[in-house]
Amino acid sequence: MAYLTENYMVENSAINWFKEIGYNYIHGSELTPDNNERETYRDVILKKRFIQAVKKINPFLNENLAEEVYKKVKNIDHPDFIIKSKTFYEYLTEGLKLTYREGKEEKTRIVKLVDFENPENNEFLIANQFKVGCYYEDRAYRIPDLVVFINGLPIAVFEFKNFNSNQTAKDAYHDHRVKMKDIPQLYLYSLIIAVSDGYETKYGSPISDWERFFNWEGIFSDDDVKKEEIMEGSYRYFYNGKELTSLEILIKGLFRKEHITEFINDFVFYEKSGENYIKKIAAYHQFYAVKKAIERTKKCVLEGKTPEDRRVGVIWHTQGSGKSLTMLFYARKILKELGNPLLIFITDRKELDEQLYSLFSQMPISKQAESIKDLQETIKNTAGGIIFSTIQKFSEKNEEYPVLTERKDIIVIADEAHRSQYRELARNLRKAIPNASFLGFTATPIELEDRDTYLVFGEPVSIYSIDKALKDGVVVPIYYEARLVELHLTNEFIDEEFEEISEGLAPEMKENLKRKYARLEQLILNPERIEKIARDIVEHFNKRVQEFEGKAMVVVISRKVAVELYNAIRKIPDAPSIEIVISGSKQKDPEEFHPHIRNKHQMEELLNNFKNPDKDPKMVIVVDMLLTGFDVPCLHTMYIDKPMKNHNLLQAIARVNRVYKDKPGGLIVDYIGIADDLRKSLSKYTLETIEQALTDINKVINQMKEKYDIVSSFFYGTDYKNWKNLSPEELSLLTVSAYNRLESEDKKRNFIKNFIALKKLYALASPQPETIKIKDDLKFFEMVKKMIIKYSTRTSREIARNLEYEMNQLISKSISAQEPVDIFSLINKEKPDISIFSEDFLNQIKDMEYKNYAIELLAKLINDEIKVRVRKNKSRYQSLYDRLKDLLEKYNIKLIETTDVIVKLIEIAKELKEKIVEGKNLDLTEEELAFYDMLLNEGIFKNEQEVKEIAKEISQRLGYYVKIADWNKKESIKAKIRKTLKDVLMKKINNYDYLDKIVNEILEQAELIFA
């Protein structure tokens, strides 16, 4: 028989899909200490299975040694959760070092916890409803929905919500967060946590924020699942023509035995950040791209006979999608697969070289080449490892490259592989390392007619386009706005290959080259122009952050311009905190640059502060620095007053496309004219690529107007434009009138969906004049939205999902803080206490003009009151609560007329009042009444007076204990309470088994009341 429950529809489906890919299944209720599966409920490693597995993988282990291994894995000792998790991951992937005595000899061996080479040599098990004892509290438990074990180790945890529930995958994520606090020992070992409501499925690491949870798309490759958009943000998935759910794809793609073992071994990374570590795990496009690149690399290195045979290919993963991390995953994996080859990473800028080396520097085999000679010596003498170098060390025109080595196991990995300099690089490298293989990475699209990139590196290995990244929520869209058009200098640079000539040169040489463009710089330095732009930046940014919190970057043509603009901005009242980020030397540069030239430590501190949304500066001015490879997720606006084209432009603007909380997009403000003719600025790319990369803000404004028309049409005939000038009573009538127009769940759902979309468009378009015109209307719509949430006793799944993606973290406080007017002014009442509802009050509710609103208001009041009371006294109020739920279900699906609903609600309200009054007439407090009702239901006492006396005595005797802080978490206090309760009840109950049952029930009731 089928059931509409979370267990049946989502959990059972997941179990069946795991079974299909070869996992064993056991119900969590069987994985108990009593069944010898683990030592206690607080322990999460299945000891018996773990010991069996490690003995099988490591035949030298006897029972005692296996027990010692178990203890080491179980008792990882460190106060920091991330460090403990990292230590376990090292045990898992590198093996655990075990020293033991064999006779008189002391031996040290590495114990493997998982057989990564032979996945089938491991035990794969899933268990649902796995009960885990809380870490800090005795006799308290949490039960995750599904746990995945490999060799008895809990490597993944799932939380589910039902298809029919009004809760979503994000609610399941919050369940994880709660459980992480209560049972951290489970999440310590879990490399992956997943959430699903049957429709939406996401996965991440246990420490990831919600915005870093992603979909998994692909069963065996990143392109074998077809994704079909059925409406904005909603998708269907097809594999080999068969429709699959997102949960089935995650299980059959990521958790396939050979995939999950590979993922654990090669696609988890603890990145050092200051004194801490950040745990990062691969997205599906990174996993599959690296797998493909590894297979191609092995073929090139082991079988390639000509330079053409040794071209691995190009990985194009758009900016913001984790290209550097993909490079790291590739490097770690290929070093293992090919037995320590030599990898040479090439970048075209010193800054990029530093950034990439910083990421890889946790690997001791990484080395940065200091000079051409150092590079040549390292290549000649290094057996294996990773070398980092800039392209300039290979591209010197006068440098003759001798043959350095004829080894085949050398792989050259070029970052931003479309650069023209790589053609020269390839020629030089082919002379120096004739048998090397070539792999290219790029974050910008390969240029329209650029075959040279493919000739050097080979055909594409993996493409993760801007469009895919936007659909997956890996990046946010970028919009552009032209401002102060009369100051644009488009004709001065648009046809010049300005950046292409200068790219790749050292900053000092670049500065020399810029002198040739002195005319353009002089035009930009015009004091009147500088002053206008400074004023506009301050005005625009200040208005923007009123509506949408975040930071900004200003890009200018030269350091001199940077200093002049900085000085002009600093003079303006209310200017945001601002700094200049430039390189230079206090010995060589003009004195006006000196305050802005920093040493390495000072620069690191400034950049860390800029990355932190809560610290100053709010804005930085840059020339070349930070325009590639620098991530500031809270950066949402870039002001450009520098000529840029093609990949340089695409790389720079991508600084604003990073995901951050509910940031809906990034904005490029153009002061020089790059956007006046995007086809020329991005001349080397297809029109489709250009449109995906940058969207005109005017399109957003038009979309905002369209969406505003849709939202306002819900209230056709309601005059809300003048709402700010109304009295509280008039505003009450207006908001209720507007609310009443959304009489059905469908209308409420559609209103909320369209209003949330309007809010996002409003934030993106701010501070355009068109946004100011509708700001007050948005405040009114916000009040109506809050009324829907406030007065609904249930929230539909669609509404819940829309609210989940609402901008409420960053968007304007001036909009989101507006509260709906209290409706009781409509009937000239103070907000009533339901326990003293009068006939007059209920009659006024009955006679209200707005029937739908009257129903939801009264239902909300009753529901809120019963919910509080039923928690403390189930015996008295549960039946009323069930009746209310049943009535509202029928109302929501139109099985009962509006007038009948009001009548039945009034009946429930009256019965609720009677039950409350009855309790007071018994001369019992609420606490005493709860014990009275519970004992009365047991039916073991002769008369009600006797029950009253016992209920009073229980409440009085418990009084001392329940005042002790955290009494319910202290087993010693609870033991004393049990003894006290037995002393009270033994006078009346002779059956000791029954006595224990009653005592435990009273204790549970006491926790509900007092804890």
Side-chain angles (χ1 to χ4, degrees):
M1 183 184 287
Y3 299 94
L4 296 176
T5 63
E6 174 187 309
N7 288 3
Y8 186 84
M9 296 183 70
V10 184
E11 190 172 294
N12 282 7
S13 297
I15 290 166
N16 290 331
W17 290 323
F18 270 109
K19 285 180 179 177
E20 285 177 26
I21 57 173
Y23 281 65
N24 295 322
Y25 163 69
I26 189 170
H27 195 278
S29 60
E30 295 182 45
L31 296 176
T32 62
D34 291 343
N35 288 344
N36 201 29
E37 289 284 359
R38 46 188 169 141
E39 291 184 309
T40 68
Y41 277 110
R42 202 170 267 172
D43 291 306
V44 295
I45 300 173
L46 306 180
K47 181 179 179 181
K48 182 174 72 174
R49 295 168 189 270
F50 174 80
I51 285 177
Q52 284 173 352
V54 293
K55 284 171 70 179
K56 179 182 173 185
I57 298 167
N58 308 274
F60 70 89
L61 290 176
N62 58 32
E63 197 70 26
N64 289 337
L65 291 178
E67 177 82 26
E68 196 175 328
V69 172
Y70 166 75
K71 285 177 181 173
K72 279 179 178 281
V73 176
K74 177 191 165 189
N75 301 318
I76 300 171
D77 187 26
H78 196 281
D80 185 83
F81 178 84
I82 300 292
I83 301 293
K84 284 170 81 169
S85 171
K86 180 175 180 288
T87 302
F88 167 67
Y89 181 68
E90 288 164 357
Y91 288 166
L92 197 62
T93 53
E94 298 168 18
L96 187 147
K97 190 184 287 187
L98 184 67
T99 301
Y100 61 97
R101 297 197 73 80
E102 198 171 272
K104 293 184 178 180
E105 188 181 355
E106 185 173 89
K107 290 188 173 182
T108 298
R109 299 278 294 268
I110 299 297
V111 178
K112 292 181 181 178
L113 306 186
V114 172
D115 189 339
F116 290 109
E117 289 76 30
N118 307 293
E120 290 294 342
N121 200 29
N122 304 292
E123 187 203 28
F124 293 83
L125 178 74
I126 52 163
N128 59 329
Q129 305 303 309
F130 178 66
K131 186 177 179 180
V132 181
C134 292
Y135 194 76
Y136 301 105
E137 183 179 347
D138 291 329
R139 297 170 68 90
Y141 304 91
R142 292 288 175 265
I143 304 178
D145 289 333
L146 188 77
V147 181
V148 180
F149 296 92
I150 299 180
N151 298 340
L153 297 165
I155 56 94
V157 185
F158 282 72
E159 284 292 324
F160 300 123
K161 294 296 172 190
N162 182 23
F163 273 115
N164 289 339
S165 162
N166 60 359
Q167 293 188 301
T168 66
K170 191 172 183 182
D171 293 300
Y173 166 79
H174 290 306
D175 288 350
H176 274 303
R177 298 262 76 81
V178 170
K179 285 172 182 169
M180 268 191 74
K181 291 176 184 174
D182 293 335
I183 49 172
Q185 71 273 30
L186 177 65
Y187 291 88
L188 166 67
Y189 300 101
S190 299
L191 300 164
I192 300 163
I193 61 175
V195 295
S196 181
D197 56 23
Y199 167 73
E200 180 181 38
T201 302
K202 290 179 179 283
Y203 77 100
S205 91
I207 60 165
S208 300
D209 292 328
W210 174 242
E211 60 264 23
R212 304 310 302 177
F213 268 62
F214 297 116
N215 308 321
W216 185 274
E217 290 174 25
I219 304 295
F220 293 101
S221 173
D222 55 357
D223 55 8
D224 62 4
V225 168
K226 304 305 173 197
K227 185 175 182 178
E228 180 185 298
E229 190 165 17
I230 48 178
M231 56 186 287
E232 189 181 350
S234 298
Y235 302 95
R236 295 169 70 192
Y237 302 93
F238 296 88
Y239 174 71
N240 286 344
K242 180 188 173 189
E243 186 168 2
L244 305 182
T245 68
S246 56
L247 178 57
E248 187 175 359
I249 292 168
L250 176 70
I251 290 169
K252 292 183 175 178
L254 175 55
F255 284 91
R256 188 170 295 278
K257 291 179 183 179
E258 64 273 23
H259 284 182
I260 191 62
T261 47
E262 188 174 8
F263 189 93
I264 291 168
N265 200 20
D266 298 313
F267 293 91
V268 178
F269 179 59
Y270 287 83
E271 183 180 352
K272 190 120 176 64
S273 176
E275 297 301 310
N276 303 313
Y277 287 90
I278 301 168
K279 182 178 182 179
K280 295 188 174 180
I281 63 176
Y284 78 93
H285 64 276
Q286 295 172 312
F287 177 77
Y288 287 121
V290 169
K291 277 175 67 66
K292 288 178 184 176
I294 294 291
E295 290 311 307
R296 286 210 200 173
T297 304
K298 282 156 64 173
K299 190 171 182 182
C300 290
V301 171
L302 301 175
E303 300 174 21
K305 293 184 169 51
T306 66
E308 288 72 26
D309 293 340
R310 291 189 284 272
R311 295 177 304 177
V312 179
V314 178
I315 293 176
W316 166 34
H317 284 185
T318 195
Q319 292 107 323
S321 65
K323 175 170 62 80
S324 298
L325 199 58
T326 305
M327 295 166 93
L328 180 129
F329 289 142
Y330 169 81
R332 290 198 317 184
K333 190 165 174 59
I334 200 65
L335 285 166
K336 286 190 277 188
E337 299 265 346
L338 285 179
N340 204 30
L342 182 62
L343 310 183
I344 305 173
F345 277 88
I346 309 291
T347 60
D348 70 330
R349 299 181 186 186
K350 191 167 186 290
E351 188 184 349
L352 275 179
D353 188 52
E354 293 286 349
Q355 287 168 0
L356 204 54
Y357 177 68
S358 173
L359 179 67
F360 279 73
S361 60
Q362 287 172 232
M363 300 168 69
I365 52 172
S366 300
K367 181 186 186 312
Q368 216 170 3
E370 301 296 329
S371 62
I372 294 172
K373 188 175 180 185
D374 180 32
L375 177 64
Q376 292 180 354
E377 288 300 314
T378 306
I379 292 172
K380 200 184 294 185
N381 301 319
T382 303
I386 306 173
I387 304 170
F388 290 87
S389 172
T390 54
I391 198 169
Q392 289 75 23
K393 295 186 177 69
F394 285 101
S395 303
E396 295 290 332
K397 303 284 186 194
N398 301 323
E399 186 69 29
E400 185 61 38
Y401 261 78
V403 174
L404 300 175
T405 177
E406 295 191 353
R407 284 171 55 186
K408 281 189 165 188
D409 63 341
I410 295 182
I411 302 135
V412 176
I413 299 130
D415 190 17
E416 293 310 330
H418 51 71
R419 303 283 204 238
S420 57
Q421 299 97 312
Y422 284 119
R423 294 155 210 164
E424 183 69 24
L425 162 74
R427 282 191 284 272
N428 285 338
L429 274 181
R430 286 290 179 217
K431 294 176 193 169
I433 321 165
N435 295 318
S437 296
F438 282 65
L439 171 64
F441 278 83
T442 182
T444 50
I446 304 298
E447 294 160 4
L448 193 55
E449 296 173 356
D450 178 13
R451 287 298 305 163
D452 285 347
T453 300
Y454 295 134
L455 288 172
V456 173
F457 297 101
E459 294 302 313
V461 175
S462 170
I463 295 176
Y464 191 64
S465 64
I466 301 167
D467 185 48
K468 266 190 178 179
L470 287 169
K471 283 180 178 174
D472 289 346
V474 171
V475 297
V476 298
I478 303 172
Y479 302 88
Y480 71 86
E481 173 189 358
R483 288 182 73 82
L484 304 184
V485 176
E486 71 279 6
L487 302 183
H488 284 197
L489 300 168
T490 313
N491 295 333
E492 299 294 332
F493 76 87
I494 196 71
D495 292 317
E496 297 288 344
E497 295 298 310
F498 183 86
E499 277 296 315
E500 279 73 358
I501 294 169
S502 64
E503 75 171 16
L505 297 180
E508 296 79 11
M509 296 177 72
K510 217 172 212 185
E511 206 69 28
N512 291 334
L513 185 65
K514 282 177 184 167
R515 292 195 186 103
K516 296 178 183 178
Y517 295 89
R519 176 173 138 71
L520 181 58
E521 187 184 36
Q522 283 308 115
L523 289 169
I524 289 171
L525 278 169
N526 178 304
E528 187 181 345
R529 186 180 186 280
I530 289 274
E531 190 181 330
K532 275 186 180 178
I533 286 175
R535 278 203 311 270
D536 194 68
I537 287 173
V538 171
E539 182 185 353
H540 183 276
F541 184 73
N542 284 347
K543 284 181 181 174
R544 189 156 164 79
V545 293
Q546 281 175 16
E547 306 297 340
F548 182 14
E549 293 173 16
K551 295 198 173 187
M553 183 181 285
V554 185
V555 186
V556 296
I557 192 172
S558 68
R559 295 184 299 168
K560 184 170 179 58
V561 172
V563 172
E564 291 298 322
L565 185 60
Y566 171 84
N567 292 336
I569 288 173
R570 287 290 301 272
K571 289 175 186 172
I572 299 170
D574 300 322
S577 53
I578 187 168
E579 296 289 352
I580 299 178
V581 179
I582 53 173
S583 57
S585 162
K586 288 185 179 179
Q587 282 71 45
K588 298 176 184 175
D589 287 318
E591 197 170 324
E592 62 191 300
F593 292 5
H594 291 189
H596 311 293
I597 295 171
R598 296 170 173 84
N599 61 33
K600 188 174 180 180
H601 174 73
Q602 290 168 330
M603 183 65 79
E604 279 179 7
E605 185 179 13
L606 169 60
L607 297 187
N608 285 335
N609 287 343
F610 186 54
K611 286 181 179 182
N612 187 329
D614 300 320
K615 290 190 175 181
D616 288 335
K618 298 297 181 190
M619 184 181 288
V620 295
I621 303 176
V622 303
V623 181
D624 295 307
M625 292 180 74
L626 313 188
L627 293 182
T628 55
F630 181 69
D631 281 358
V632 183
C634 60
L635 180 71
H636 65 33
T637 309
M638 177 179 278
Y639 300 94
I640 295 181
D641 195 28
K642 171 184 178 174
M644 287 189 286
K645 292 179 69 178
N646 294 319
H647 56 259
N648 290 300
L649 175 58
L650 286 180
Q651 281 185 316
I653 65 176
R655 297 315 100 207
V656 298
N657 81 346
R658 297 327 194 239
V659 171
Y660 175 67
K661 294 185 177 177
D662 45 20
K663 172 174 142 186
L667 179 66
I668 303 301
V669 177
D670 176 17
Y671 288 117
I672 198 164
I674 52 168
D676 292 353
D677 192 341
L678 275 176
R679 292 196 187 192
K680 281 189 174 180
S681 292
L682 297 169
S683 58
K684 295 185 177 180
Y685 303 107
T686 64
L687 187 59
E688 183 185 24
T689 298
I690 293 168
E691 287 173 350
Q692 287 174 359
L694 274 170
T695 303
D696 190 338
I697 198 69
N698 289 312
K699 284 188 180 179
V700 176
I701 292 167
N702 290 334
Q703 287 171 357
M704 182 187 76
K705 288 175 179 176
E706 288 171 15
K707 197 60 75 174
Y708 170 79
D709 288 342
I710 292 170
V711 173
S712 57
S713 71
F714 283 98
F715 309 110
Y716 180 76
T718 302
D719 183 9
Y720 56 83
K721 291 286 185 182
N722 195 38
W723 71 267
K724 290 192 98 173
N725 298 320
L726 300 180
S727 68
E729 292 77 14
E730 290 170 328
L731 185 55
S732 294
L733 281 167
L734 176 65
T735 52
V736 171
S737 170
Y739 180 90
N740 211 57
R741 289 182 180 276
L742 307 171
E743 71 272 11
S744 68
E745 279 295 310
D746 275 350
K747 281 195 175 179
K748 289 186 178 78
R749 180 169 62 245
N750 287 331
F751 164 73
I752 283 182
K753 180 181 178 182
N754 283 287
F755 175 56
I756 287 169
L758 174 61
K759 277 175 75 173
K760 286 188 178 182
L761 293 165
Y762 171 88
L764 286 167
S766 292
Q768 297 291 325
E770 289 84 351
T771 63
I772 295 162
K773 291 175 190 172
I774 65 168
K775 184 172 181 176
D776 284 346
D777 293 354
L778 258 69
K779 290 182 182 180
F780 182 79
F781 299 151
E782 179 74 13
M783 280 193 282
V784 176
K785 184 210 81 181
K786 289 190 172 183
M787 286 172 73
I788 292 171
I789 298 163
K790 182 174 181 180
Y791 296 114
S792 289
T793 52
R794 60 188 292 279
T795 306
S796 77
R797 171 64 156 274
E798 290 79 7
I799 288 176
R801 191 183 300 286
N802 282 313
L803 289 171
E804 176 184 315
Y805 291 102
E806 181 180 14
M807 283 193 64
N808 53 18
Q809 294 175 294
L810 302 177
I811 200 168
S812 165
K813 293 180 178 63
S814 64
I815 290 173
S816 59
Q818 193 76 26
E819 288 299 325
V821 178
D822 202 319
I823 307 304
F824 293 103
S825 56
L826 278 174
I827 48 179
N828 303 312
K829 287 275 182 185
E830 294 297 312
K831 188 169 183 180
D833 175 350
I834 199 165
S835 65
I836 54 167
F837 267 173
S838 65
E839 288 291 329
D840 177 50
F841 176 81
L842 293 174
N843 285 332
Q844 286 192 56
I845 288 280
K846 189 176 176 182
D847 296 337
M848 276 180 76
E849 179 186 349
Y850 307 110
K851 299 298 181 193
N852 292 308
Y853 179 73
I855 287 171
E856 293 186 8
L857 170 62
L858 185 55
K860 176 68 173 172
L861 290 169
I862 297 170
N863 184 69
D864 288 352
E865 188 70 21
I866 296 182
K867 271 176 80 174
V868 171
R869 292 180 181 277
V870 83
R871 185 175 177 272
K872 291 186 174 182
N873 193 342
K874 207 169 182 180
S875 304
R876 179 163 290 261
Y877 299 108
Q878 184 66 47
S879 62
L880 274 183
Y881 189 50
D882 292 341
R883 272 174 58 196
L884 179 67
K885 282 205 301 184
D886 182 57
L887 177 63
L888 294 176
E889 285 292 334
K890 287 176 180 173
Y891 165 66
N892 283 322
I893 57 176
K894 307 298 179 193
L895 286 181
I896 186 167
E897 292 295 322
T898 304
T899 49
D900 293 337
V901 178
I902 292 178
V903 169
K904 290 185 181 296
L905 281 172
I906 288 173
E907 283 174 12
I908 293 173
K910 286 178 176 177
E911 283 185 50
L912 178 57
K913 181 181 174 183
E914 284 169 15
K915 284 182 178 288
I916 295 166
V917 170
E918 183 185 291
K920 291 184 176 177
N921 290 340
L922 286 167
D923 192 27
L924 295 172
T925 65
E926 267 193 60
E927 294 78 15
E928 291 166 351
L929 183 64
F931 294 125
Y932 170 85
D933 287 332
M934 194 194 112
L935 292 169
L936 199 62
N937 279 357
E938 291 292 333
I940 54 173
F941 299 98
K942 291 174 184 174
N943 59 64
E944 292 181 12
Q945 186 57 37
E946 191 176 43
V947 180
K948 274 178 68 174
E949 289 168 7
I950 292 173
K952 284 190 171 191
E953 187 176 355
I954 287 171
S955 190
Q956 183 259 320
R957 298 278 289 271
L958 286 177
Y960 166 74
Y961 296 110
V962 297
K963 289 174 184 170
I964 298 169
D966 294 330
W967 66 269
N968 60 315
K969 297 179 182 178
K970 296 173 180 173
E971 208 48 51
S972 58
I973 302 294
K974 285 161 86 172
K976 289 177 182 176
I977 291 174
R978 283 191 184 89
K979 182 179 182 308
T980 300
L981 292 172
K982 284 181 181 179
D983 289 344
V984 173
L985 294 169
M986 275 173 67
K987 307 165 196 171
K988 305 292 178 184
I989 303 173
N990 297 322
N991 184 323
Y992 279 92
D993 289 339
Y994 193 54
L995 182 64
D996 282 336
K997 174 181 174 290
I998 297 291
V999 164
N1000 285 332
E1001 286 177 7
I1002 293 172
L1003 188 55
E1004 284 177 19
Q1005 183 72 51
E1007 289 194 65
L1008 290 173
I1009 296 170
F1010 299 113

